[in-house]
DNA sequence: TTATGTGCAAACGCTTTGCGTGAAG
DNA sequence: CTTCACGCAAAGCGTTTGCACATAA
């Protein structure tokens, strides 16, 4: 586990405070979504958040999760990884551009702590005139687990 | 223009030959789509291809363009840039992983010929065990034209 | 008390699919 | 002649929206 549990609790509290300051109400549903997102290292989808929230909030709906997640995105508190023809995945622990490793078999997504992109924006602005705001670096491949399962096919 | 015209014509011919060898039929619609994709440097969407084909093929449909584009993708002849909540964009001139600059105002997409990612896959395999197959590097920002228009707001 | 959030159902946008007709090889 | 492609309409899927009701502050 890369982030200690007490740090996660602290992040939830910070999040609640910051959202309240910005005029957002903290409903039980939202608190549950926040906790789940912060505690979850696996970049969950809205659907997954919804399924895990449901035991505690049986009447909640996908629409509510979507609305909360969009609010968090607009406040810059989560990073959205959108895909064509797949649901978006969310990272609330590192809500800034950073590289990912994505398994094309099981859709596993992990953070890759290797690549430093900091120097590129200036170069790109010089060469192409683009003002760079953020970036996205994804490496697609097969995760170790799927590689193993491919080798013993029974 | 980065790619000379005679090279484009050659690429269309190669494409036709290769597709035929793989058992695909070259219909007039497909030929028109191929030419358009090869001649177009602006990473067009299916919708844009459809609109530009329509004058010559008034009865054609989006479904046909989708099917052709998917066939080309499966044969590795075009690169698909998929986005959540936007239509996919296609590059038939460089059908391999390479970085892009994407304007978040006008959706302009250009190739960025700066970044070399070749050394990263090995590093990532060593560190995370992922077998890397391809990657995607996108820089999001404002293109020069949109920057200028933002400055003179009348 | 009142503005904001919830949750249902309907709508949306892009893409895919089914199927009868048509044409490439 | 046979197989594959076309093109229409319908369906699929993730996401958003409208609105009446509920509730946080």
């Amino acid at each position: 586990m890369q982030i200690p549990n007490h740090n996660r609790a602290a992040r939830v509290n910070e999040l609640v405070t910051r959202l309240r300051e910005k005029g957002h109400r903290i409903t039980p549903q939202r608190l549950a979504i926040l906790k789940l997102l912060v505690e979850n290292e696996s970049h969950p989808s809205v659907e997954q958040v919804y399924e895990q929230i449901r035991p505690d909030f049986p009447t909640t709906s996908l629409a509510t999760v979507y609305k909360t997640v969009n609010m968090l995105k607009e406040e810059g508190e989560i990073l959205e990884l959108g895909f064509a023809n797949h649901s978006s995945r969310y990272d609330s622990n590192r809500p800034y551009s950073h590289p990912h490793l994505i398994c094309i078999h099981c859709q596993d997504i992990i953070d890759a702590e290797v690549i430093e992109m900091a120097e590129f924006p200036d170069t790109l602005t010089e060469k192409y005139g683009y003002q760079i705001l953020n970036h996205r670096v994804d490496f697609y491949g097969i995760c170790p687990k799927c590689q193993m399962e491919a080798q013993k096919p029974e």
Side-chain angles (χ1 to χ4, degrees), chain A:
Chain A
M1 186 172 297
Q2 304 178 53
I3 298 179
N5 275 325
H6 60 277
N7 286 0
R8 292 173 192 273
R11 169 132 175 86
V12 172
N13 286 337
E14 288 166 23
L15 228 53
V16 167
T17 305
R18 216 154 31 213
L19 293 174
R20 262 201 250 265
E21 280 170 359
K22 289 177 178 171
H24 300 287
R25 292 178 182 172
I26 306 302
T27 64
Q29 294 92 327
R30 283 188 172 175
L31 189 57
I33 294 170
L34 286 182
K35 281 184 180 171
L36 200 152
L37 283 172
V38 169
E39 286 162 8
N40 198 322
E41 200 81 22
S42 70
H43 305 79
S45 65
V46 161
E47 186 81 37
Q48 288 165 341
V49 171
Y50 171 65
E51 290 300 342
Q52 295 181 58
I53 291 298
R54 211 130 72 108
D56 293 326
F57 299 88
T59 68
T60 204
S61 70
L62 274 173
T64 296
V65 182
Y66 273 109
K67 283 168 185 168
T68 299
V69 150
N70 281 337
M71 180 269 284
L72 291 170
K73 187 176 35 163
E74 272 153 33
E75 296 298 359
E77 299 291 358
I78 54 175
L79 177 71
E80 179 180 50
L81 293 175
F83 302 93
N85 303 326
H86 292 282
S87 37
S88 289
R89 306 278 292 268
Y90 297 92
D91 189 339
S92 89
N93 291 301
R94 298 173 188 77
Y96 44 81
S97 297
H98 64 280
H100 290 94
L101 287 171
I102 300 170
C103 180
I104 60 173
H105 278 167
C106 67
Q107 323 302 329
D108 183 44
I109 300 180
I110 66 173
D111 299 331
E113 298 180 9
V114 166
I115 295 151
E116 189 47 69
M117 296 263 127
E119 65 268 31
F120 287 122
D122 286 346
T123 312
L124 292 167
T125 301
E126 277 175 35
K127 184 157 180 182
Y128 297 101
Y130 266 64
Q131 174 195 353
I132 305 298
L133 300 173
N134 53 63
H135 62 260
R136 180 156 169 196
V137 179
D138 296 340
F139 292 89
Y140 295 88
I142 319 288
C143 73
K145 195 185 289 182
C146 287
Q147 287 176 48
M148 300 232 292
E149 281 170 15
Q151 285 180 349
K152 41 157 189 174
E154 307 103 50

